[in-house]
């Protein structure tokens, strides 16, 4: 007696087995490789707040002024592909209403252009590709994927060092929940600047190498757990000048108790995080679960048809043998 399988049973069984093999591949192989920092990023984030700044035209500190920080991040696709890293060029400007728009940086209160290079999977800094400055830490423009409820070392470019941000519960941004991290920066010397002596209380000296000091009243970041994208950010920068060796602030260059993402920036960040989450959830949960369920059903149906078809053919062959014997 010889059993033959129907084409339908083999197709169902093969498709089912394929889906059952595909499910763990998506979870353990495809999804981890989808968790990478993008190389074609082009985003703008805007902070607004009120504070003080040094007006070089008036030679005086002006208080109670609306301030805006604009940061644009653009990926260098060519260098990223060449190096296998995420190479991002970051332009940051600090403006008053009088010096906006931020694209015209020639009259900004402060403007910096930096290049950040990170490992696309771990978000760790990589020192290559004309990176500037040389930075450290675990987080800056974003956190690593799969953020944990622990402290992170966040790179503060103005300080030129890392700041410990502690996990501080959860918080919703535009209705979207993220992990909240907080910290602060105590006054620290960050450099020197040649200024007229009278600015720092030494009128008898035409030029003085004044000390630049920086502090941050408070850093608050709300981060998407799965992607590490920053949903909302609030900072309180303070930059001052001191006479050499003095412990007293002589000139306030910039001071704001709180500058925060605008509602428009928050909405954009939430939309990007939500879209990235859907993609990762699709690869890591929805499609694998569907593949397991459908694969089990198809493999089961194919097996049943295969067994039943064999039994039917077996019985048919046995009956025909009996007829021939008679």
């Amino acid at each position: 007696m010889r059993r033959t399988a129907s084409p339908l049973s083999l197709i169902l069984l093969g498709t089912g087995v394929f889906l059952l093999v595909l499910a763990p591949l998506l979870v353990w192989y495809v999804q981890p490789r989808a968790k990478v920092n993008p190389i074609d990023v082009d985003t703008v984030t805007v902070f607004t707040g009120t504070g003080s700044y040094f007006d070089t035209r008036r030679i005086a500190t002006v208080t109670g002024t609306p301030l805006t920080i604009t940061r644009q991040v653009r990926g260098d696709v060519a260098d990223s592909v060449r190096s296998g890293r995420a190479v991002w060029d970051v332009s940051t400007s600090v403006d008053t209403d009088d010096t906006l728009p931020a694209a015209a940086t020639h009259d900004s209160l402060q403007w910096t252009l930096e290049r950040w290079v990170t490992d696309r999977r771990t978000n760790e800094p990589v020192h290559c590709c004309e990176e500037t400055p040389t930075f450290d830490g675990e987080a800056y423009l974003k956190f690593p994927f799969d953020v944990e409820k622990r402290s992170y070392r966040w790179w503060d470019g103005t300080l030129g060092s890392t700041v410990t941000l502690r996990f501080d519960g959860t918080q919703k941004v535009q209705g979207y929940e993220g992990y909240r991290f907080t910290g602060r920066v105590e006054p620290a010397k960050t450099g020197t600047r040649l200024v007229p002596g009278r600015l720092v209380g030494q009128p008898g000296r035409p030029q003085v190498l004044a000390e630049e000091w920086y502090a941050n009243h408070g850093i608050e970041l709300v981060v998407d757990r799965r992607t590490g994208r920053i949903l909302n950010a609030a900072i309180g920068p303070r930059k001052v000048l001191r006479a050499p060796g003095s412990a007293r602030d002589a000139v306030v260059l910039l001071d704001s108790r709180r500058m925060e993402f605008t509602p428009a920036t928050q909405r954009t960040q939430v939309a990007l995080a939500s879209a990235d989450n859907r993609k990762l959830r699709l690869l890591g949960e929805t499609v694998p679960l569907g593949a397991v369920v459908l694969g089990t059903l198809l493999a089961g149906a194919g097996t049943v048809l295969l067994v039943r078809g064999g039994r039917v053919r077996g019985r048919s062959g046995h009956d025909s043998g009996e007829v021939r014997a008679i």
Side-chain angles (χ1 to χ4, degrees):
M1 179 179 64
R2 185 179 63 181
R3 293 186 179 184
T4 60
S6 70
L8 177 61
S9 63
L10 294 177
I11 291 173
L12 291 176
L13 181 60
T15 303
V17 171
F18 170 77
L19 291 174
L20 291 174
V21 172
L22 177 65
L25 281 177
L26 289 173
V27 175
W28 297 326
Y29 185 83
V30 177
Q31 190 207 35
R33 283 158 177 77
K35 289 182 177 180
V36 293
N37 290 341
I39 62 175
D40 58 349
V41 60
D42 189 354
T43 62
V44 176
T45 54
V46 181
F47 298 74
T48 56
T50 302
S52 306
Y53 75 98
F54 185 76
D55 190 328
T56 55
R57 293 171 298 180
R58 303 183 189 180
I59 316 299
T61 297
V62 181
T63 62
T65 304
L67 299 172
T68 300
I69 298 177
T70 306
R71 174 174 293 150
Q72 181 170 29
V73 181
R74 282 183 175 174
D76 188 322
V77 177
D79 278 0
S80 296
V81 171
R82 189 180 303 113
S83 65
R85 315 296 185 181
V87 182
W88 295 351
D89 293 319
V90 185
S91 171
T92 306
S93 64
V94 182
D95 292 275
T96 65
D97 289 348
D98 293 335
T99 64
L100 289 172
T105 58
H106 64 278
D107 57 352
S108 296
L109 301 180
Q110 178 181 316
W111 177 65
T112 59
L113 183 60
E114 304 164 317
R115 168 164 283 211
W116 300 86
V117 186
T118 59
D119 184 286
R120 297 188 65 192
R121 291 191 174 88
T122 67
N123 202 55
E124 291 285 335
V126 178
H127 308 303
C128 74
C129 314
E130 300 181 0
E131 166 212 26
T132 178
T134 300
F135 72 108
D136 196 6
E138 303 167 278
Y140 174 62
L141 297 171
K142 69 181 294 293
F143 278 60
F145 290 91
D146 299 317
V147 181
E148 301 174 1
K149 296 179 179 180
R150 63 173 177 85
S151 295
Y152 281 83
R153 293 178 299 114
W154 179 74
W155 177 260
D156 187 324
T158 305
L159 180 64
S161 184
T162 57
V163 178
T164 299
L165 298 185
R166 294 174 176 79
F167 175 74
D168 195 17
T170 61
Q171 182 174 318
K172 286 190 175 181
V173 178
Q174 303 289 333
Y176 191 97
E177 188 172 84
Y179 286 175
R180 182 173 182 262
F181 295 87
T182 58
R184 59 177 298 160
V185 179
E186 297 298 330
K189 181 181 176 182
T190 56
T192 57
R193 181 183 298 191
L194 193 64
V195 300
R198 63 189 179 90
L199 280 183
V200 292
Q202 297 185 2
R205 302 177 61 183
Q207 297 289 323
V208 173
L209 197 62
E211 298 176 355
E212 291 187 0
W213 284 70
Y214 163 75
N216 204 303
H217 300 293
I219 302 166
E220 178 186 312
L221 304 178
V222 182
V223 182
D224 178 50
R225 181 194 64 80
R226 189 189 296 266
T227 66
R229 187 181 292 276
I230 296 176
L231 308 174
N232 188 38
I235 56 176
R238 177 177 172 83
K239 296 183 68 176
V240 301
L241 290 179
R242 294 179 179 180
S246 174
R248 184 179 65 87
D249 297 341
V251 177
V252 174
L253 300 176
L254 178 69
D255 188 20
S256 177
R257 298 296 301 184
R258 184 178 177 89
M259 300 191 69
E260 186 175 8
F261 274 180
T262 63
T265 295
Q266 293 175 14
R267 287 191 293 270
T268 298
Q269 293 298 100
V270 166
L272 291 171
S274 181
D276 290 343
N277 266 272
R278 284 195 298 270
K279 294 175 185 176
L280 293 176
R281 193 180 301 114
L282 191 68
L283 289 174
E285 298 174 16
T286 307
V287 174
L289 180 60
V292 168
V293 173
L294 183 59
T296 300
L297 292 175
L298 292 179
T303 301
V304 170
L305 290 176
L306 186 64
V307 172
R308 290 181 60 185
R311 287 177 178 174
V312 169
R313 288 176 176 77
R315 285 197 299 270
S316 298
H318 181 68
D319 293 343
S320 64
E322 287 181 347
V323 170
R324 287 195 298 271
I326 292 172

